[in-house]
Amino acid sequence: MSPQQAMQIAVQRVPGQIIHYGMDMENGTLVYEIFILTSQNKIYKVEVNPNTGAIRKIEEENDSD
């Protein structure tokens, strides 16, 4: 699966503007990390499995950490 396909999957679940994406290891599994800025000015990180296209996790990022 290409990064573009993973981004399409992510914005279907969390509508907004993609501001960054990359790859990361999560528990020994490679995932795409896609950061989306929503119309409410919140940033969400969506993790997509690059092999299956399944969304592994969606979490809101906040500036306090």
Side-chain angles (χ1 to χ4, degrees):
M1 163 170 298
S2 72
Q4 288 75 17
Q5 289 170 307
M7 287 186 247
Q8 286 177 340
I9 290 168
V11 294
Q12 284 172 0
R13 283 290 298 275
V14 182
Q17 178 185 358
I18 295 170
I19 54 174
H20 179 74
Y21 84 93
M23 294 196 88
D24 197 16
M25 290 293 283
E26 289 287 332
N27 302 322
T29 305
L30 205 57
V31 296
Y32 286 118
E33 289 185 334
I34 298 148
F35 293 84
I36 299 172
L37 176 65
T38 69
S39 58
Q40 292 83 31
N41 286 324
K42 294 183 185 302
I43 296 174
Y44 288 89
K45 178 173 77 173
V46 181
E47 293 181 3
V48 179
N49 181 314
N51 299 318
T52 65
I55 292 178
R56 290 176 43 108
K57 184 166 46 171
I58 298 173
E59 61 186 24
E60 185 178 344
E61 299 289 291
N62 50 41
D63 295 333
S64 61
D65 47 51

